[in-house]
Amino acid sequence: MNDVFVERMVKKKFETTDLLVVLGVILGILVATLAGFVVGMLIIPFPMITLLVAAGAVFGGYKLVSMRMLEFEYSLTNGFVTVDKIMNRSTRKRMTSFECDSCEDIGKYTENEARLKTRSFDARVFATQFADHRDSWYMIVRSGKTGKTLVVFDPDEDLLAAVKKYIPRALKFEKFGRG
């Protein structure tokens, strides 16, 4: 049998909530700088405090805003899937990993959203392009680290075809037919 390797990157779209976070960070920088000015000039006559507080606030604000620039990477290697979150193209965090043969359910997320919200899971992993999860798929899997996990992701045709190869046969026939 040939080895199967499929890797996909999905960039999270910048949405209204992200804009609100950026505006909040800018407001926080201004408040911290003003507080540093009051302390550094009026309370303790040491102007360097103002500069240090302003520099710290700008650096912290930059870090907070850059954490909103997200990408998700899905890798499938011979039935083993990993889902990573990449922040600002520099920091990678493993969200979950699992074997496709541990899949208990799969389908379109928007069609099953109400049912899935009421179910109990050890972990929920949302690695999608849009916050409303349109055109997303879900898998309920058993993972060694995260337990029973709901994974919501945005596969393309190649990734979905590769996942179909490795999910349990009965589930594949139930969800996708014999085709």
Side-chain angles (χ1 to χ4, degrees):
M1 185 169 154
N2 294 336
D3 288 340
V4 175
F5 178 75
V6 180
E7 183 176 67
R8 293 293 176 258
M9 297 282 288
V10 174
K11 187 173 184 174
K12 185 177 178 307
K13 298 291 184 193
F14 199 76
E15 296 179 334
T16 307
T17 55
D18 298 314
L19 181 63
L20 292 174
V21 167
V22 169
L23 291 175
V25 166
I26 291 171
L27 183 65
I29 290 171
L30 293 174
V31 168
T33 303
L34 180 64
F37 177 78
V38 168
V39 169
M41 295 295 201
L42 304 176
I43 296 175
I44 303 171
F46 190 61
M48 189 59 132
I49 290 175
T50 303
L51 181 62
L52 289 173
V53 168
V58 168
F59 179 75
Y62 166 75
K63 283 297 202 182
L64 286 173
V65 169
S66 68
M67 286 175 54
R68 302 297 293 185
M69 295 179 217
L70 296 176
E71 293 176 321
F72 299 104
E73 178 183 70
Y74 321 125
S75 299
L76 182 136
T77 307
N78 294 331
F80 185 76
V81 177
T82 60
V83 180
D84 295 338
K85 175 170 55 173
I86 303 168
M87 294 171 277
N88 197 26
R89 294 186 177 187
S90 61
T91 306
R92 176 182 297 262
K93 180 182 176 199
R94 173 82 25 101
M95 296 177 78
T96 190
S97 57
F98 56 89
E99 291 283 344
C100 284
D101 61 5
S102 72
C103 182
E104 298 174 5
D105 196 9
I106 186 170
K108 287 275 198 179
Y109 182 73
T110 51
E111 297 168 5
N112 298 288
E113 186 172 8
R115 178 178 59 88
L116 292 170
K117 283 188 176 183
T118 60
R119 290 193 53 190
S120 174
F121 298 102
D122 296 328
R124 294 173 189 262
V125 174
F126 292 93
T128 61
Q129 189 173 15
F130 298 102
D132 62 359
H133 313 299
R134 64 188 125 174
D135 301 326
S136 296
W137 284 72
Y138 76 92
M139 289 178 76
I140 299 172
V141 296
R142 294 259 177 213
S143 171
K145 288 187 176 183
T146 55
K148 186 175 182 178
T149 306
L150 171 69
V151 180
V152 181
F153 64 112
D154 294 335
D156 62 354
E157 291 299 319
D158 293 338
L159 182 61
L160 196 58
V163 166
K164 285 180 193 178
K165 283 173 100 173
Y166 292 102
I167 62 175
R169 176 175 240 139
L171 181 63
K172 181 167 81 171
F173 291 149
E174 175 188 337
K175 296 296 183 172
F176 302 106
R178 297 214 179 258

